[in-house]
Structures are given as structure tokens and as C-alpha cells.
Amino acid sequence: MNTLHGWQRVSFVLLHVYVLGVCGVVLGAMAVQFVGKELPCPLCMLQRMAMLLAALGPMFIIKQTSVRGSDSKVDQSIGFGMSIIASVLGLFISGRQVLLHILPDDPGYGEAVFGLHLYTWAFIVFSTILLVSGLSLMFSRFMTVSKSLDRMGPASRVTVWVLRITIAANVISVFTESGTNWFLPDNPVQYELIEEFKEFLRSRSSADGAQKAS
Amino acid sequence: MIAAFIFILILMTAFTLRRKNPRVTLVLFGVSMVCVTLLFLHHATDRLGLSF
């Protein structure tokens, strides 16, 4: 089996840190949602989407290293290009939310985490992703993983599954929050799917009661 | 439901990353980006009464 040495190994490890770091931020936001009982607003959800799309770039590079005959320079360009496009969109979304709450005496949306609100942290994360992607492309002469691995190692597999599970958890979370509505409410106060299910049970039990009475 | 649909699109993109030809990945990534942008524009213009 081929192994990586020197800068290529450092670059390959950094790609994993990149993906796991973004997943960690999204999972941290989910922890605030479920432990802190703060329902995410539509803009928060859009920022999560942009972060996960940005994480797909380095994940693409990691996966392509185990594909025979792939051009590593092209893969590097595609992967970091994906990250840059997604993080520019994320900067717009988080920047808008920062500007919505920028006036003095505005309490902001939700509780602050380590002194900053989650959308401000998201702005910092997207800026960091842009910086890291740009630097990786600038130093692609050293950082390109040019060797093709025979198969993905255990660390890469774990990273792949962490990303997939993070995305799948968000599918369930957002569906529970929006219920059967097309859009999320601007200021969500409850999980709509759970409320709809309770309403369904109530209507069913009252219909059963009326049937028994007649 | 639209947000859940976009997350499913992102999940589908994540499952296509290992193909030798990255065309499917790029198409799904592009569709996801367009959907996120349109949803952002909807939420950004909602309060303005533009009903985007």
C-alpha cells in the first residue's frame, strides 16, 4: 500500500482536520439547539448548509486520493474551489445576520457562546475557511497529495462517516422543526412536526370519543 | 420541508464524492448552492414584502 511522506502527509492530515473542524462547529450548534433548548432560525440553518457544503471540498480531495487515475492537481482545485464558493455564500448569510443585530442595545438572536453569538462565530469560521483554502491553493506545490492511495485508511473512513452523520442529523433536525410547512418560521418557538403529531393524536382521540358516544 | 430537501441534496452530494468522473458531484453541489442561495434570498426579502 502506498504511504504519504513529508508535506503531503501534513496536507492529508490537515484535510481531515478541516472536515472534522467544520463538523465539530455544526455539531456544537446542534448541542446548543438540544442542550440549550434554542431553536435555530432559518438563517442559522442556511449557515449550517453553507458550512457542510464547504466541508465537501476537502472531503472530495480525501476521497479522490483513493481513486485510481485521478489527477491530484485538478482534484485539489475542484475541492478548494467548492469550499471557497460555499464559504463566500456563508459569509453573505452570516454577515446579514450580524448586520440585523448590529444596532446598540440589540440583544441578538439566542444566547452568546464564549462572548459571541453563533452567527458571529459562523462569520469567523467562514473567513477562516476562505483563508485556509486560499493558502492551500497558494502552496499547492507542496500541499498537493499527489500519491494515489490504494484504499482509504481508517481515519479517512471515520471522517467520511462523521460528515455523513452530521448531515443526516441535520435532515432529521430541520424536518422536525419545520414539520409539513414549506419554510421555517422566522422566530421558531416549537418543533412543528411534534406539535402536528400531537394535534393529530388529539383529533383522532376526540373523533374516537364522538364515535363511541354516538 | 425545503430546508430538509436541501440537506438531503447535500447528503446525496457527499455520497457521490468517490466517483472517477466528478461531474455528478459538481452538478449536485451546484444545485445545492443554487437552492441555498434562493432560500436565503427568500428569507432576506420576506420582511420587505417582495415575496421572492
Side-chain angles (χ1 to χ4, degrees):
Chain A
M1 185 182 166
N2 286 335
T3 51
L4 300 167
H5 298 284
W7 279 111
Q8 290 196 5
R9 189 171 180 80
V10 173
S11 173
F12 198 58
V13 172
L14 281 177
L15 288 170
H16 289 75
V17 173
Y18 192 145
V19 178
L20 291 174
V22 173
C23 288
V25 172
V26 176
L27 289 173
M30 292 188 83
V32 172
Q33 177 185 347
F34 293 111
V35 180
K37 296 196 168 114
E38 276 186 30
L39 271 76
C41 64
L43 287 175
C44 305
M45 278 298 175
L46 287 165
Q47 284 159 48
R48 288 187 196 180
M49 288 170 194
M51 270 186 207
L52 292 169
L53 281 167
L56 288 180
M59 196 72 256
F60 174 79
I61 301 170
I62 293 170
K63 286 209 136 193
Q64 288 295 316
T65 53
S66 59
V67 174
R68 281 178 188 277
S70 63
D71 188 337
S72 51
K73 285 196 173 168
V74 173
D75 297 338
Q76 180 103 346
S77 308
I78 291 175
F80 287 120
M82 286 163 77
S83 289
I84 288 170
I85 293 171
S87 43
V88 166
L89 178 62
L91 271 178
F92 271 106
I93 300 167
S94 55
R96 182 182 190 267
Q97 199 168 7
V98 169
L99 291 176
L100 280 176
H101 302 288
I102 203 165
L103 288 176
D105 301 328
D106 188 311
Y109 186 87
E111 291 294 316
V113 178
F114 301 121
L116 295 175
H117 286 90
L118 288 180
Y119 42 83
T120 314
W121 280 118
F123 192 87
I124 294 168
V125 168
F126 286 122
S127 307
T128 311
I129 292 173
L130 265 183
L131 185 71
V132 171
S133 302
L135 286 174
S136 301
L137 285 174
M138 274 174 71
F139 295 102
S140 58
R141 191 175 169 188
F142 310 104
M143 305 296 271
T144 304
V145 183
S146 57
K147 254 183 195 169
S148 183
L149 300 172
D150 295 336
R151 59 187 172 87
M152 280 204 304
S156 301
R157 285 185 195 173
V158 168
T159 311
V160 167
W161 278 103
V162 168
L163 180 63
R164 285 177 183 171
I165 290 168
T166 308
I167 303 170
N170 274 288
V171 173
I172 297 165
S173 162
V174 77
F175 184 57
T176 313
E177 195 182 331
S178 69
T180 53
N181 302 309
W182 285 113
F183 297 103
L184 286 166
D186 280 339
N187 287 307
V189 288
Q190 59 190 13
Y191 289 100
E192 294 293 333
L193 191 68
I194 296 170
E195 294 306 314
E196 285 169 9
F197 187 65
K198 281 181 186 169
E199 185 60 39
F200 169 74
L201 290 179
R202 269 197 294 272
S203 64
R204 198 174 164 188
S205 62
S206 62
D208 284 349
Q211 204 172 25
K212 279 179 190 170
S214 64
Chain B
M1 272 170 61
I2 291 176
F5 168 72
I6 296 174
F7 274 117
I8 291 170
L9 266 178
I10 298 171
L11 190 61
M12 283 168 66
T13 314
F15 274 98
T16 62
L17 294 176
R18 212 182 164 194
R19 287 166 175 257
K20 196 169 181 180
N21 186 349
R23 196 175 295 162
V24 179
T25 306
L26 292 180
V27 168
L28 282 172
F29 178 80
V31 173
S32 309
M33 284 294 298
V34 169
C35 290
V36 175
T37 309
L38 290 176
L39 190 59
F40 171 54
L41 288 177
H42 168 79
H43 284 296
T45 56
D46 197 28
R47 289 182 193 176
L48 303 174
L50 297 176
S51 65
F52 178 79

mmCIF file of all heavy atoms in Angstrom, chain A residues 111-130:
data_model
loop_
_atom_site.group_PDB
_atom_site.id
_atom_site.type_symbol
_atom_site.label_atom_id
_atom_site.label_comp_id
_atom_site.label_asym_id
_atom_site.label_seq_id
_atom_site.Cartn_x
_atom_site.Cartn_y
_atom_site.Cartn_z
ATOM 1 N N GLU A 111 -28.582 32.917 22.810
ATOM 2 C CA GLU A 111 -27.572 33.216 23.844
ATOM 3 C C GLU A 111 -26.175 33.277 23.215
ATOM 4 O O GLU A 111 -25.907 32.591 22.225
ATOM 5 C CB GLU A 111 -27.592 32.126 24.915
ATOM 6 C CG GLU A 111 -28.848 32.124 25.780
ATOM 7 C CD GLU A 111 -28.978 33.365 26.636
ATOM 8 O OE1 GLU A 111 -27.963 33.779 27.232
ATOM 9 O OE2 GLU A 111 -30.083 33.942 26.700
ATOM 10 N N ALA A 112 -25.313 34.102 23.817
ATOM 11 C CA ALA A 112 -23.931 34.182 23.335
ATOM 12 C C ALA A 112 -23.139 32.961 23.816
ATOM 13 O O ALA A 112 -23.377 32.455 24.912
ATOM 14 C CB ALA A 112 -23.284 35.465 23.841
ATOM 15 N N VAL A 113 -22.240 32.483 22.980
ATOM 16 C CA VAL A 113 -21.349 31.363 23.334
ATOM 17 C C VAL A 113 -19.919 31.909 23.339
ATOM 18 O O VAL A 113 -19.464 32.419 22.320
ATOM 19 C CB VAL A 113 -21.494 30.200 22.309
ATOM 20 C CG1 VAL A 113 -20.544 29.070 22.655
ATOM 21 C CG2 VAL A 113 -22.924 29.711 22.251
ATOM 22 N N PHE A 114 -19.226 31.829 24.472
ATOM 23 C CA PHE A 114 -17.889 32.425 24.643
ATOM 24 C C PHE A 114 -17.880 33.900 24.225
ATOM 25 O O PHE A 114 -16.972 34.367 23.541
ATOM 26 C CB PHE A 114 -16.829 31.645 23.861
ATOM 27 C CG PHE A 114 -16.703 30.207 24.254
ATOM 28 C CD1 PHE A 114 -16.909 29.197 23.332
ATOM 29 C CD2 PHE A 114 -16.389 29.858 25.567
ATOM 30 C CE1 PHE A 114 -16.794 27.865 23.694
ATOM 31 C CE2 PHE A 114 -16.274 28.528 25.936
ATOM 32 C CZ PHE A 114 -16.479 27.533 25.006
ATOM 33 N N GLY A 115 -18.930 34.610 24.585
ATOM 34 C CA GLY A 115 -18.981 36.053 24.350
ATOM 35 C C GLY A 115 -19.502 36.493 22.992
ATOM 36 O O GLY A 115 -19.745 37.676 22.787
ATOM 37 N N LEU A 116 -19.646 35.567 22.058
ATOM 38 C CA LEU A 116 -20.142 35.937 20.726
ATOM 39 C C LEU A 116 -21.355 35.083 20.372
ATOM 40 O O LEU A 116 -21.444 33.927 20.795
ATOM 41 C CB LEU A 116 -19.053 35.727 19.663
ATOM 42 C CG LEU A 116 -17.787 36.592 19.755
ATOM 43 C CD1 LEU A 116 -16.777 36.146 18.706
ATOM 44 C CD2 LEU A 116 -18.111 38.058 19.555
ATOM 45 N N HIS A 117 -22.271 35.658 19.572
ATOM 46 C CA HIS A 117 -23.417 34.871 19.120
ATOM 47 C C HIS A 117 -22.978 33.884 18.032
ATOM 48 O O HIS A 117 -21.934 34.076 17.401
ATOM 49 C CB HIS A 117 -24.520 35.796 18.606
ATOM 50 C CG HIS A 117 -25.248 36.501 19.701
ATOM 51 N ND1 HIS A 117 -24.843 37.723 20.170
ATOM 52 C CD2 HIS A 117 -26.312 36.143 20.452
ATOM 53 C CE1 HIS A 117 -25.637 38.100 21.153
ATOM 54 N NE2 HIS A 117 -26.541 37.157 21.354
ATOM 55 N N LEU A 118 -23.808 32.867 17.824
ATOM 56 C CA LEU A 118 -23.413 31.794 16.892
ATOM 57 C C LEU A 118 -23.184 32.313 15.471
ATOM 58 O O LEU A 118 -22.288 31.829 14.776
ATOM 59 C CB LEU A 118 -24.467 30.679 16.891
ATOM 60 C CG LEU A 118 -24.498 29.809 18.145
ATOM 61 C CD1 LEU A 118 -25.581 28.753 18.034
ATOM 62 C CD2 LEU A 118 -23.153 29.125 18.390
ATOM 63 N N TYR A 119 -23.997 33.309 15.042
ATOM 64 C CA TYR A 119 -23.802 33.821 13.679
ATOM 65 C C TYR A 119 -22.483 34.586 13.548
ATOM 66 O O TYR A 119 -21.875 34.596 12.477
ATOM 67 C CB TYR A 119 -24.991 34.683 13.231
ATOM 68 C CG TYR A 119 -25.521 35.624 14.274
ATOM 69 C CD1 TYR A 119 -24.948 36.855 14.492
ATOM 70 C CD2 TYR A 119 -26.607 35.269 15.059
ATOM 71 C CE1 TYR A 119 -25.456 37.717 15.455
ATOM 72 C CE2 TYR A 119 -27.113 36.115 16.029
ATOM 73 C CZ TYR A 119 -26.535 37.336 16.226
ATOM 74 O OH TYR A 119 -27.025 38.179 17.188
ATOM 75 N N THR A 120 -22.018 35.204 14.662
ATOM 76 C CA THR A 120 -20.709 35.882 14.621
ATOM 77 C C THR A 120 -19.595 34.832 14.532
ATOM 78 O O THR A 120 -18.633 34.981 13.772
ATOM 79 C CB THR A 120 -20.521 36.757 15.871
ATOM 80 O OG1 THR A 120 -21.710 37.499 16.084
ATOM 81 C CG2 THR A 120 -19.357 37.708 15.718
ATOM 82 N N TRP A 121 -19.764 33.746 15.296
ATOM 83 C CA TRP A 121 -18.793 32.641 15.196
ATOM 84 C C TRP A 121 -18.781 32.078 13.778
ATOM 85 O O TRP A 121 -17.735 31.742 13.233
ATOM 86 C CB TRP A 121 -19.132 31.525 16.197
ATOM 87 C CG TRP A 121 -18.675 31.818 17.596
ATOM 88 C CD1 TRP A 121 -19.461 31.950 18.701
ATOM 89 C CD2 TRP A 121 -17.320 32.010 18.046
ATOM 90 N NE1 TRP A 121 -18.697 32.226 19.805
ATOM 91 C CE2 TRP A 121 -17.378 32.274 19.430
ATOM 92 C CE3 TRP A 121 -16.078 32.005 17.411
ATOM 93 C CZ2 TRP A 121 -16.240 32.507 20.193
ATOM 94 C CZ3 TRP A 121 -14.941 32.251 18.167
ATOM 95 C CH2 TRP A 121 -15.027 32.497 19.544
ATOM 96 N N ALA A 122 -19.996 31.967 13.190
ATOM 97 C CA ALA A 122 -20.087 31.429 11.822
ATOM 98 C C ALA A 122 -19.320 32.325 10.849
ATOM 99 O O ALA A 122 -18.614 31.824 9.963
ATOM 100 C CB ALA A 122 -21.549 31.323 11.393
ATOM 101 N N PHE A 123 -19.433 33.656 11.035
ATOM 102 C CA PHE A 123 -18.701 34.599 10.178
ATOM 103 C C PHE A 123 -17.189 34.356 10.287
ATOM 104 O O PHE A 123 -16.474 34.326 9.280
ATOM 105 C CB PHE A 123 -19.057 36.034 10.587
ATOM 106 C CG PHE A 123 -18.595 37.079 9.608
ATOM 107 C CD1 PHE A 123 -19.387 37.439 8.525
ATOM 108 C CD2 PHE A 123 -17.363 37.697 9.754
ATOM 109 C CE1 PHE A 123 -18.957 38.386 7.610
ATOM 110 C CE2 PHE A 123 -16.923 38.645 8.843
ATOM 111 C CZ PHE A 123 -17.724 38.995 7.771
ATOM 112 N N ILE A 124 -16.733 34.125 11.532
ATOM 113 C CA ILE A 124 -15.298 33.859 11.757
ATOM 114 C C ILE A 124 -14.893 32.534 11.098
ATOM 115 O O ILE A 124 -13.845 32.435 10.456
ATOM 116 C CB ILE A 124 -14.990 33.856 13.273
ATOM 117 C CG1 ILE A 124 -15.203 35.257 13.851
ATOM 118 C CG2 ILE A 124 -13.568 33.377 13.561
ATOM 119 C CD1 ILE A 124 -15.218 35.316 15.366
ATOM 120 N N VAL A 125 -15.764 31.519 11.246
ATOM 121 C CA VAL A 125 -15.461 30.199 10.660
ATOM 122 C C VAL A 125 -15.362 30.298 9.137
ATOM 123 O O VAL A 125 -14.418 29.778 8.531
ATOM 124 C CB VAL A 125 -16.532 29.153 11.081
ATOM 125 C CG1 VAL A 125 -16.412 27.873 10.262
ATOM 126 C CG2 VAL A 125 -16.412 28.836 12.561
ATOM 127 N N PHE A 126 -16.323 30.999 8.505
ATOM 128 C CA PHE A 126 -16.287 31.127 7.039
ATOM 129 C C PHE A 126 -15.042 31.906 6.584
ATOM 130 O O PHE A 126 -14.432 31.558 5.569
ATOM 131 C CB PHE A 126 -17.555 31.809 6.523
ATOM 132 C CG PHE A 126 -18.769 30.923 6.564
ATOM 133 C CD1 PHE A 126 -19.901 31.293 7.271
ATOM 134 C CD2 PHE A 126 -18.782 29.705 5.912
ATOM 135 C CE1 PHE A 126 -21.011 30.474 7.332
ATOM 136 C CE2 PHE A 126 -19.892 28.870 5.962
ATOM 137 C CZ PHE A 126 -21.012 29.260 6.667
ATOM 138 N N SER A 127 -14.668 32.948 7.341
ATOM 139 C CA SER A 127 -13.454 33.704 6.996
ATOM 140 C C SER A 127 -12.231 32.793 7.085
ATOM 141 O O SER A 127 -11.337 32.835 6.228
ATOM 142 C CB SER A 127 -13.262 34.888 7.942
ATOM 143 O OG SER A 127 -14.415 35.666 7.994
ATOM 144 N N THR A 128 -12.189 31.950 8.138
ATOM 145 C CA THR A 128 -11.060 31.023 8.317
ATOM 146 C C THR A 128 -11.008 30.003 7.175
ATOM 147 O O THR A 128 -9.924 29.702 6.652
ATOM 148 C CB THR A 128 -11.196 30.288 9.667
ATOM 149 O OG1 THR A 128 -11.448 31.245 10.679
ATOM 150 C CG2 THR A 128 -9.954 29.495 10.017
ATOM 151 N N ILE A 129 -12.191 29.491 6.786
ATOM 152 C CA ILE A 129 -12.234 28.514 5.679
ATOM 153 C C ILE A 129 -11.677 29.155 4.401
ATOM 154 O O ILE A 129 -10.883 28.545 3.679
ATOM 155 C CB ILE A 129 -13.673 28.009 5.441
ATOM 156 C CG1 ILE A 129 -14.147 27.151 6.613
ATOM 157 C CG2 ILE A 129 -13.770 27.203 4.154
ATOM 158 C CD1 ILE A 129 -15.607 26.745 6.537
ATOM 159 N N LEU A 130 -12.085 30.403 4.148
ATOM 160 C CA LEU A 130 -11.590 31.114 2.954
ATOM 161 C C LEU A 130 -10.073 31.255 3.002
ATOM 162 O O LEU A 130 -9.382 30.985 2.013
ATOM 163 C CB LEU A 130 -12.212 32.504 2.894
ATOM 164 C CG LEU A 130 -13.466 32.683 2.051
ATOM 165 C CD1 LEU A 130 -13.906 34.130 2.057
ATOM 166 C CD2 LEU A 130 -13.221 32.241 0.613
#
